[in-house]
Amino acid sequence: MDNLPAELLLDILGRITRTADRNSVSLTCKRFHKLDNGLRISMRVGCGLHPVCDALTALCNRFRNLEKVEIIYSGWMSKLGKQLDDNGLFILSSRCPLLKDLTLSYCTFITDAGLSYLASCSKLTSLKLTFAPRITGCGILSLVVGCKALSVLHLIRCLNVGSMEWLEYLGKHEMLEDLCIKNCRVIGEGDLIKLGPTWRKLKRLQFQVDANYRYMKLYDRLSVDRWQKQWVPCENMLELSLVNCVISPGRGLACVIGKCKNLEKIHLDMCVGVRDCDIVCLAQNSSNLRSISLRVPLDLSLPLLQNNPLRLTDESLKAVAQNCSLLDTVRLSFSDGEFPSFSSFTLNGILMLIQMCPIRELALDHVYSFNDVGIQALCSAQYLQILELVRCQEITDEGLQLAGQIPQLCILRLRKCLGVTDDGLKPLVGSHKLELLVVEDCPQISERGVQGTAKSVTFKQDLSWMY
């Protein structure tokens, strides 16, 4: 091995993907150790980083080509030692000149001063912050001004990030492609308009409002009308995820939904104000749509909806079926407490999607309209591989027994379904039809009943949800 050229050894070491194996090889000899140090471009550390500054300095000195760093303090307690603070970020910024991708999770000691150190990382393209309560909008602004190559920004549970100058700066700079804002209490839907021209560059937007923090009074007309109707250039958007948002008719996010011509994936979860016309417009303008996920909220009494009743109907599903020929993933769900009579989508609407689109994955949660007849119809679904049924209480053993006749089905998930028993799974026993069967919290299915039904079986029984 000593006679092998360095280029060949680097190629060999580069083919070892498991970190544990790489560590073992690097301890074999000094030459391997040195070569491995130069190859390491990513590092993931957490609570074991102690003492934090000394350990981080040693790691950065050893791995001088680091491009991706993840520091995660999930489960941290004071007895585990001092957390990463601003001094740690100074070490990263000064000793990792190639740093491109940084993730900081539950680093509760870092402040705006620490982010100002990161502003010197000229190559930084991705920053992801999860639960950084001491960070404010001023810190984010200093970072985005310094890191002009930043194209990915994720802020999750950064509770004090306000002062939206950083959004305005990102809007003018037109570099951002991936923006994720989740449960940042100060940031609302109306602030997103400050992205301005950057909407043209965005490929992925995830925006989630903290449902526990937002009071009902925030759903009034003044709140949702802050963003007036205007042209939003979002033709390059590929993925759009909105959770607990207000969709005001003809304004704000409603304008975005209908303008994403290249959209491939959309997720609307408990978004108040979404109407059939919004989904129809989306379908007509997004022929590349491959995945749609809709979770319909229960509360129909909000002021926004008094004159525009929200209840997405089969008209939405019909438009999607007729215009989105590439659609392969569908997830439909109703919020907890939904009554059967409130179900927006009928069996005919759901089957229309199955018949007209190459659906590979179908997930239904609390959809009372789906019954044994629905499963019978799925037997003609030529592309369906994954079926997930959650709280679909109209499904009985008679329907479940037909699941084995779905031509390409290889994964079946059943959760909290009350009407199915061991008898419904009997045709699957020994059939070698399924690769995976998941049964969770179905009170009439036993662990014995799932044995032999698939190559891999997961069984869980916790019936506390029923009481």
Side-chain angles (χ1 to χ4, degrees):
M1 295 292 286
D2 291 338
N3 297 325
L4 291 178
E7 293 78 9
L8 181 57
L9 285 178
L10 286 172
D11 182 66
I12 294 173
L13 291 174
R15 295 171 185 269
I16 302 174
T17 57
R18 291 183 64 226
T19 301
D21 294 338
R22 291 279 291 273
N23 290 338
S24 299
V25 170
S26 68
L27 296 175
T28 307
C29 65
K30 291 183 178 180
R31 191 183 185 199
F32 281 2
H33 188 268
K34 183 178 179 180
L35 290 173
D36 179 57
N37 291 347
L39 279 177
R40 298 288 182 104
I41 61 172
S42 65
M43 177 177 71
R44 188 175 190 267
V45 295
C47 299
L49 202 65
H50 180 73
V52 59
C53 287
D54 293 342
L56 195 57
T57 299
L59 288 170
C60 291
N61 286 339
R62 178 182 172 186
F63 307 121
R64 295 184 177 275
N65 295 323
L66 286 176
E67 297 179 4
K68 180 178 181 179
V69 175
E70 296 180 62
I71 301 178
I72 301 173
Y73 276 95
S74 177
W76 177 84
M77 297 178 288
S78 58
K79 67 180 182 180
L80 297 175
K82 187 178 179 181
Q83 261 200 25
L84 176 84
D85 57 12
D86 295 338
N87 291 328
L89 295 186
F90 175 74
I91 293 171
L92 278 177
S93 62
S94 59
R95 297 178 183 270
C96 298
L98 303 180
L99 187 64
K100 296 180 180 179
D101 188 332
L102 178 61
T103 297
L104 302 173
S105 297
Y106 302 96
C107 298
T108 57
F109 283 47
I110 61 174
T111 69
D112 290 345
L115 288 191
S116 67
Y117 295 141
L118 294 177
S120 63
C121 299
S122 59
K123 296 183 182 296
L124 191 68
T125 59
S126 173
L127 175 65
K128 299 175 183 178
L129 298 176
T130 297
F131 194 60
R134 302 190 187 191
I135 298 298
T136 72
C138 294
I140 301 295
L141 178 62
S142 66
L143 183 133
V144 299
V145 169
C147 303
K148 299 187 183 301
L150 196 69
S151 61
V152 178
L153 178 61
H154 290 193
L155 303 176
I156 301 173
R157 292 181 65 202
C158 296
L159 306 180
N160 291 307
V161 173
S163 180
M164 303 306 164
E165 289 86 355
W166 61 275
L167 266 176
E168 295 178 0
Y169 183 87
L170 287 172
K172 296 175 183 177
H173 202 50
E174 296 189 52
M175 287 295 293
L176 200 65
E177 296 183 358
D178 183 343
L179 176 62
C180 174
I181 300 176
K182 293 184 178 181
N183 297 337
C184 298
R185 296 176 175 178
V186 185
I187 307 173
E189 296 94 329
D191 296 311
L192 293 178
I193 191 59
K194 297 177 182 178
L195 285 171
T198 287
W199 279 104
R200 186 180 293 107
K201 289 282 292 185
L202 271 183
K203 295 180 180 179
R204 188 174 294 104
L205 173 64
Q206 301 175 68
F207 189 79
Q208 178 173 331
V209 177
D210 188 342
N212 295 321
Y213 179 76
R214 167 173 266 171
Y215 298 101
M216 300 306 291
K217 64 182 180 180
L218 294 181
Y219 283 113
D220 60 22
R221 180 63 62 181
L222 291 177
S223 174
V224 298
D225 278 2
R226 284 188 301 167
W227 184 352
Q228 297 299 315
K229 182 177 182 180
Q230 54 185 288
W231 180 70
V232 181
C234 51
E235 290 85 358
N236 291 317
M237 187 81 70
L238 299 177
E239 297 183 18
L240 178 62
S241 175
L242 304 176
V243 182
N244 299 324
C245 294
V246 172
I247 310 297
S248 182
R251 291 179 169 83
L253 293 173
C255 298
V256 174
I257 291 175
K259 298 284 182 60
C260 303
K261 295 182 179 180
N262 293 300
L263 196 67
E264 296 179 359
K265 183 177 181 179
I266 187 167
H267 174 67
L268 300 178
D269 188 340
M270 302 295 284
C271 290
V272 177
V274 181
R275 301 168 299 165
D276 274 337
C277 61
D278 297 318
I279 303 300
V280 170
C281 184
L282 166 74
Q284 292 175 345
N285 289 285
S286 305
S287 58
N288 292 331
L289 194 67
R290 296 178 180 273
S291 173
I292 185 169
S293 175
L294 301 174
R295 184 169 179 236
V296 181
L298 169 63
D299 195 341
L300 307 180
S301 61
L302 300 174
L304 174 67
L305 306 173
Q306 288 178 353
N307 297 321
N308 300 287
L310 168 71
R311 194 167 300 160
L312 292 176
T313 69
D314 287 348
E315 287 300 312
S316 294
L317 301 185
K318 180 181 178 180
V320 172
Q322 291 177 340
N323 295 279
C324 304
S325 59
L326 302 178
L327 189 72
D328 64 11
T329 302
V330 174
R331 305 185 70 89
L332 303 177
S333 175
F334 292 90
S335 63
D336 291 337
E338 194 75 60
F339 294 101
S341 60
F342 282 3
S343 292
S344 313
F345 308 124
T346 70
L347 180 60
N348 289 336
I350 297 171
L351 296 183
M352 195 182 309
L353 285 174
I354 295 294
Q355 293 164 358
M356 301 181 68
C357 301
I359 304 299
R360 183 185 62 84
E361 179 177 354
L362 176 65
L364 303 175
D365 184 348
H366 234 112
V367 181
Y368 287 95
S369 60
F370 193 80
N371 52 28
D372 293 345
V373 177
I375 293 189
Q376 183 177 15
L378 293 183
C379 293
S380 61
Q382 296 298 315
Y383 303 97
L384 189 63
Q385 299 177 9
I386 303 172
L387 177 62
E388 180 174 344
L389 301 175
V390 182
R391 297 178 296 181
C392 291
Q393 313 305 6
E394 299 301 310
I395 301 294
T396 69
D397 287 339
E398 184 178 350
L400 187 58
Q401 289 172 357
L402 297 172
Q405 300 178 26
I406 301 175
Q408 300 295 326
L409 188 69
C410 57
I411 297 177
L412 175 62
R413 300 188 181 99
L414 302 173
R415 294 187 173 96
K416 300 180 180 180
C417 293
L418 299 177
V420 292
T421 71
D422 291 349
D423 291 339
L425 296 173
K426 284 184 177 179
L428 293 172
V429 176
S431 67
H432 307 291
K433 166 74 175 178
L434 297 180
E435 295 287 335
L436 173 65
L437 172 68
V438 177
V439 177
E440 294 183 1
D441 308 334
C442 297
Q444 298 193 78
I445 296 181
S446 66
E447 187 169 7
R448 183 177 180 180
V450 302
Q451 294 177 1
T453 55
K455 295 179 181 178
S456 177
V457 174
T458 299
F459 180 83
K460 177 184 174 183
Q461 193 76 288
D462 180 4
L463 304 183
S464 60
W465 66 277
M466 298 176 61
Y467 306 103

